[in-house]
Amino acid sequence: MKNNNVFLEKLRSSGLILTKQRIEICKFLFDRKETFHFTINDLQSILRKRSNEKISLATIYNTVHTFKKKGFLKEILINSNSNSNSNYFDTNVSNHHHFFDESTNELIDLKDSDVGDIKIKKNITKKKIKSIEVLVRLAK
Amino acid sequence: MKNNNVFLEKLRSSGLILTKQRIEICKFLFDRKETFHFTINDLQSILRKRSNEKISLATIYNTVHTFKKKGFLKEILINSNSNSNSNYFDTNVSNHHHFFDESTNELIDLKDSDVGDIKIKKNITKKKIKSIEVLVRLAK
DNA sequence: AATTAGATTAGAATAATTCTAATATATTGA
DNA sequence: TCAATATATTAGAATTATTCTAATCTAATT
Ligand SMILES: [Mn+2]
Ligand SMILES: [Mn+2]
Ligand SMILES: [Zn+2]
Ligand SMILES: [Zn+2]
């Protein structure tokens, strides 16, 4: 394998070492057109099925957090139902809005154009706004 | 003490037993005018300082989750900074928007009137919208 | 007031996450 | 080219967060 695919480009240009664990994870996460949302456990069980080379759970945590730090992933916390929370990661790292479908536990990107402009009317503090994100919950 | 204060009224009317642990927690959380946002660990260390009767951490979890189930508290998950998340609980149980100040890790309620109406333009699914909430992050 | 059924507490068990010693990779200079 | 060394990464161990459940407490019934 030449490892010169486009989805490895970000890894290659990041300064991170291209280890077989990272290549495997990178291949799965970034070789796709659409945004992908996943939890650490989703990722571990998918990787287990795809390959017989075991990647330790600690390494999956390490890699996902490293990718987040590099700006390749974004973390989205969701109160998924009355008794459990989920830490999702998102291959769409831009500021963007979400639907969360409580019947399927699916997190779905909303385009900016799907949500009207949001204007914060009262400037309660003088501090600079870093992001404004909307979460729309769909009932069960 | 008569335990007939207004902040105990919700507990009294909920069908839950008024134990000394719950009364202590209820007294601290609900005997106030303003919304209060806290984490489990915030609450534990505050309760430790206020009283010399130890309440076990498991009981604090139990009580907070019980209060949430009864609708006295609401859980708000925040990606507080690049390397840590927080499970806040909120004494304001209505659907409402928040500021999160990354320099102080403070979560602050936004009034509906402080945020313009939000209109979801594309009805991506046919499912009913349960809530729409905005999180505004203030930069460090 | 004793008996019983059900609710609650809190230490024990488990699950989630992070730490760090061992290993792997990259860099340097003979 | 290839040791030697420095730096980065991996993954099992340790720790922290959360849940489970047996012992205890409370309320209802007689
Ligand atoms: Mn958690
Ligand atoms: Mn967590
Ligand atoms: Zn997304
Ligand atoms: Zn709030």
Side-chain angles (χ1 to χ4, degrees):
Chain A
M1 200 215 294
K2 287 233 208 85
N3 286 340
N4 58 357
N5 309 280
V6 66
F7 60 86
L8 286 176
E9 202 37 56
K10 46 174 61 168
L11 184 49
R12 204 184 303 283
S13 67
S14 71
L16 294 171
I17 293 172
L18 276 75
T19 64
K20 65 183 196 307
Q21 292 88 343
R22 283 180 181 156
I23 290 169
E24 190 67 24
I25 293 172
C26 197
K27 197 181 292 186
F28 174 66
L29 291 180
F30 305 121
D31 189 16
R32 58 177 79 232
K33 292 266 163 40
E34 300 293 315
T35 293
F36 182 59
H37 298 102
F38 64 97
T39 66
I40 294 283
N41 287 309
D42 290 343
L43 185 56
Q44 182 183 45
S45 62
I46 292 166
L47 291 172
R48 274 214 185 116
K49 283 167 199 156
R50 275 170 66 94
S51 160
N52 39 14
E53 307 277 330
K54 184 201 170 190
I55 299 177
S56 99
L57 183 57
T59 297
I60 296 174
Y61 273 97
N62 286 339
T63 303
V64 165
H65 287 144
T66 300
F67 285 179
K68 179 184 169 189
K69 211 165 297 168
K70 285 290 176 183
F72 303 157
L73 291 172
K74 187 180 159 127
E75 193 166 8
I76 312 283
L77 302 179
I78 300 280
N79 209 211
S80 42
N81 63 59
S82 55
N83 40 213
S84 87
N85 304 322
S86 302
N87 296 22
Y88 284 88
F89 291 85
D90 190 338
T91 60
N92 178 355
V93 297
S94 69
N95 292 333
H96 64 283
H97 310 304
H98 288 102
F99 270 136
F100 181 71
D101 185 334
E102 296 196 345
S103 61
T104 61
N105 273 23
E106 246 187 318
L107 192 60
I108 301 157
D109 280 358
L110 263 170
K111 283 180 254 164
D112 272 8
S113 64
D114 295 334
V115 178
D117 257 1
I118 295 157
K119 296 206 168 54
I120 305 304
K121 290 176 178 173
K122 261 193 188 138
N123 211 357
I124 289 178
T125 76
K126 291 284 158 53
K127 289 174 183 169
K128 197 181 156 221
I129 288 174
K130 184 188 175 188
S131 68
I132 300 177
E133 294 191 353
V134 177
L135 179 63
V136 180
R137 280 174 186 279
L138 302 177
K140 280 213 196 44
Chain B
M1 198 215 297
K2 287 235 208 84
N3 285 340
N4 57 357
N5 308 281
V6 66
F7 59 86
L8 286 177
E9 202 37 56
K10 45 174 61 169
L11 184 50
R12 203 183 304 283
S13 66
S14 69
L16 294 171
I17 293 171
L18 276 75
T19 64
K20 64 182 196 306
Q21 292 89 341
R22 283 181 181 156
I23 290 169
E24 190 68 22
I25 293 172
C26 196
K27 197 182 292 187
F28 174 66
L29 291 180
F30 305 121
D31 188 16
R32 56 177 80 233
K33 292 264 164 39
E34 299 293 315
T35 293
F36 182 59
H37 298 103
F38 64 97
T39 66
I40 293 283
N41 287 309
D42 291 343
L43 185 56
Q44 182 183 43
S45 62
I46 292 165
L47 292 173
R48 273 213 185 117
K49 283 166 199 155
R50 275 170 66 95
S51 161
N52 40 14
E53 308 277 331
K54 185 202 169 190
I55 300 177
S56 99
L57 184 56
T59 298
I60 296 174
Y61 273 96
N62 286 339
T63 304
V64 165
H65 286 146
T66 300
F67 285 179
K68 179 184 169 190
K69 210 165 298 169
K70 285 291 178 185
F72 303 157
L73 292 172
K74 186 178 159 130
E75 193 166 7
I76 312 281
L77 302 179
I78 299 279
N79 207 211
S80 43
N81 62 59
S82 53
N83 41 213
S84 87
N85 304 322
S86 302
N87 295 23
Y88 285 88
F89 291 86
D90 191 338
T91 59
N92 178 356
V93 297
S94 69
N95 291 334
H96 63 283
H97 310 302
H98 288 101
F99 270 136
F100 182 72
D101 185 334
E102 296 196 345
S103 62
T104 61
N105 272 23
E106 245 187 317
L107 192 60
I108 301 157
D109 280 358
L110 263 171
K111 282 179 253 161
D112 272 7
S113 64
D114 295 334
V115 178
D117 258 1
I118 295 158
K119 296 206 168 53
I120 304 304
K121 290 176 179 174
K122 264 195 186 135
N123 212 356
I124 289 179
T125 74
K126 293 283 157 55
K127 290 172 182 168
K128 197 180 156 221
I129 288 174
K130 184 188 175 187
S131 68
I132 299 178
E133 294 191 352
V134 177
L135 179 64
V136 180
R137 280 174 186 279
L138 302 176
K140 280 211 207 14

